[in-house]
Amino acid sequence: AADPATDEEGSGLAVYDPGFVNTASCRSSVTFIDGDKGVLEYRGYPIEQLAEKSSFLEVSYLLVHGALPTKEEYDAWVHEITFHTFVHENIKEFMQGFRYDAHPMGMLMASVGAMSTFYPDAANISDPDNRRLQIIRLIAKMPTLGAWAFRHAQGKPYVYPDNDLSYTGNFLSMLFKMSESKYASDDRIEKALDTLFILHADHEQNASANAVRSVGSTQVDPYSSVAAGVGALFGPLHGGANEAVLRMLRRIGKVENIPAFIEGVKAGNERLMGFGHRVYKNYDPRATIIKQQALNVFEVTGTNPLLNIAMELEKIALEDEYFVKRKLYPNVDFYSGLIYEALEFPPEMFTVLFAIGRTPGWLSQWLELVQDKEQKIARPKQIYTGERGLTFVPRDVRW
Ligand code: ACO
């Protein structure tokens, strides 16, 4: 609704749009989504092709640079990222100072923010070479921080990066080395995790990208902006849905209980978690790819009773008029939690995995923002609903 009375800057129009549902906050050439057709493209390339034929580091290059790398560019990119996987020993000590039961997302958010003090050069965001260095550092170090947060919760010693390994192989090694996990070194597991990172790498103006842009619009260093993105992702409405799917599947317990559960959903008692999306009113293209990866992972880890419930739920819901009429299809979270659980990640780690995958997306959007001459400091308008012009009465008179 237009309310010129509250338009303090005098442009003549104030639009009330909570959550910016209908208001574009920026121009972007990073990610395209057509929710009605179920299309997701990074820099114009369909997600299906990238998930099948590319790697997370190549997709990161594509997102950040806007074009696919030549062989020389790719080799240099992989080399530079591999070279920067270690973090300063004092960051390690900083992380070791957290309580034994600290949430790994809290540890990740704090340690990413703390990195701004270790790299004060990052404040110089007008220098392109300097920006590139910080982007490389962040993409390289996120798995190290994430793996250490994981091991902290288990009371296990942190494992240093092994730069003979691939990006995702190195992450698995830092997570599971010296532990009992028998799956970590299997190529199918590495491919599944790498694919999940690709699928999560960007999703245009989601809440965490918006947080990165909003904080970045003050021209602060990228560590501070990305820490804000991690904070936004921490919220249950953003990164927490796959955990909710697992809780739901456990509650259903067995395939025979599905019809009664579906009836409860249709009666409006609860939602079918992992179904429906604000933007996708067709199959979430990421869900199809994740489903295949879940099947690959279960080939290695053995099947899981929760997977059978998930497959049956999906089958029933896709044929049920309630879901068909409302265009409710599985979203990216429907199967991702099952994969993470099969790999023995505790639910608190699910969002950390999301954050590692989303880092190149945040940074591509941050880069786009700081180079965009039209951008301004993020300072939305408000519609003021409070009192005006009251006279203050001091306490000794008032009481
Ligand atoms: N189960 C049952 N019914 C649903 C579901 C669901 N998962 N999602 C939507 N509906 C129904 C609503 O009750 C409503 O029905 P009505 O028209 O009879 O009132 C209709 O479908 C439209 O729902 P809205 O809430 O308007 O849809 P919106 O686009 O606002 O919601 C959301 C999208 C929040 C994702 C929703 O589908 C939902 O809650 N899903 C479950 C949670 C989930 O999986 N979240 C992860 C999203 S993906 C991500 O964040 C990476």
Side-chain angles (χ1 to χ4, degrees), residues 241 271-278 281 322 326 328 331 333:
R271 291 201 161 190
L272 174 50
M273 298 311 289
F275 263 66
H277 197 278
R278 171 57 60 79
K281 299 301 174 194
Y322 174 95
R326 289 171 179 75
L328 299 170
N331 60 46
D333 291 312

Side-chain angles (χ1 to χ4, degrees), residues 169-184:
N170 182 32
F171 179 49
L172 282 166
S173 146
M174 289 188 285
L175 288 164
F176 296 121
K177 208 173 208 167
M178 295 183 274
S179 80
E180 318 71 48
S181 177
K182 42 202 178 297
Y183 314 128

Side-chain angles (χ1 to χ4, degrees), residues 96 99-102 147-158:
Q96 282 171 327
R99 255 175 69 132
Y100 68 96
D101 58 353
W148 288 1
F150 171 75
R151 293 189 69 91
H152 186 85
Q154 302 187 324
K156 289 183 176 153
Y158 298 1

Side-chain angles (χ1 to χ4, degrees), residues 245-262:
V245 172
L246 272 191
R247 279 201 301 272
M248 174 189 78
L249 295 175
R250 281 210 189 89
R251 206 156 34 82
I252 295 173
K254 39 187 181 189
V255 171
E256 297 85 287
N257 296 340
I258 293 177
F261 171 80
I262 293 276

Side-chain angles (χ1 to χ4, degrees), residues 40 44 55 76 83 106 150 160 201 206 217 221 230 322 336 345 354 374:
L40 169 62
S55 68
F83 183 78
F150 171 75
Y160 286 101
N206 55 88
S217 77
D221 68 87
V230 178
Y322 174 95
S336 64
F345 286 112
F354 191 157
E374 286 179 7

